Amino acid sequence: DITKIKIRRLSKSGRVRELTLFWENGSLIIKGRELREMFYKNIKSTKFQISDKKDGVFFKGFGYGHGVGMCQYGAKVMGEKNIKYKQIIKFYFNGVEIKEWQTIQNLE
């Protein structure tokens, strides 16, 4: 049983790069990405905080992926449900305007 988790190193953007897992007879240093992969259904990003409480270790997340605003898994599932790419982009990025490439070239 893990008794404590301590963040060792953060990236410039505040994502967990490395952390230490502690248990009764030892510890293990792992990458934030590895922890996320172990709990990928519950930890959506490596941008999180950890707090130790009496009844467990709690995570507070601040994102859903790579730091650009779009969750690749969420977008994939939406695509599999036949949601069009423009709707997916607008879901993740508020206030964007999607234009055809030719329109953008003509603006230059």
Side-chain angles (χ1 to χ4, degrees):
D1 289 341
I2 296 172
T3 57
K4 183 176 182 172
I5 300 176
K6 182 178 178 186
I7 296 173
R8 294 174 46 92
R9 195 164 54 104
L10 295 173
S11 70
K12 289 180 184 177
S13 65
R15 287 170 166 54
V16 176
R17 294 280 230 167
E18 203 173 71
L19 42 87
T20 305
L21 307 177
F22 296 91
W23 56 91
E24 191 175 322
N25 297 319
S27 64
L28 175 68
I29 297 171
I30 65 169
K31 296 186 184 315
R33 178 182 45 77
E34 292 173 311
L35 183 78
R36 178 179 177 240
E37 288 170 1
M38 285 189 276
F39 300 102
Y40 75 93
K41 290 185 180 183
N42 297 312
I43 301 175
K44 309 287 187 220
S45 170
T46 55
K47 191 166 187 174
F48 57 83
Q49 293 175 343
I50 301 169
S51 56
D52 293 316
K53 308 246 176 163
K54 275 185 178 179
D55 51 346
V57 177
F58 293 85
F59 295 85
K60 180 178 180 181
F62 297 96
Y64 291 96
H66 301 289
V68 296
M70 180 182 286
C71 171
Q72 62 188 355
Y73 300 110
K76 179 180 182 290
V77 168
M78 291 171 82
E80 289 169 347
K81 292 182 177 182
N82 293 319
I83 297 172
K84 303 297 179 201
Y85 76 93
K86 289 181 181 182
Q87 290 176 281
I88 295 170
I89 291 171
K90 287 183 177 186
F91 176 82
Y92 286 102
F93 302 101
N94 295 326
V96 298
E97 185 177 344
I98 300 169
K99 295 189 174 206
E100 299 298 325
W101 176 248
Q102 292 79 11
T103 305
I104 295 169
Q105 285 182 319
N106 292 334
L107 294 174
E108 295 176 353

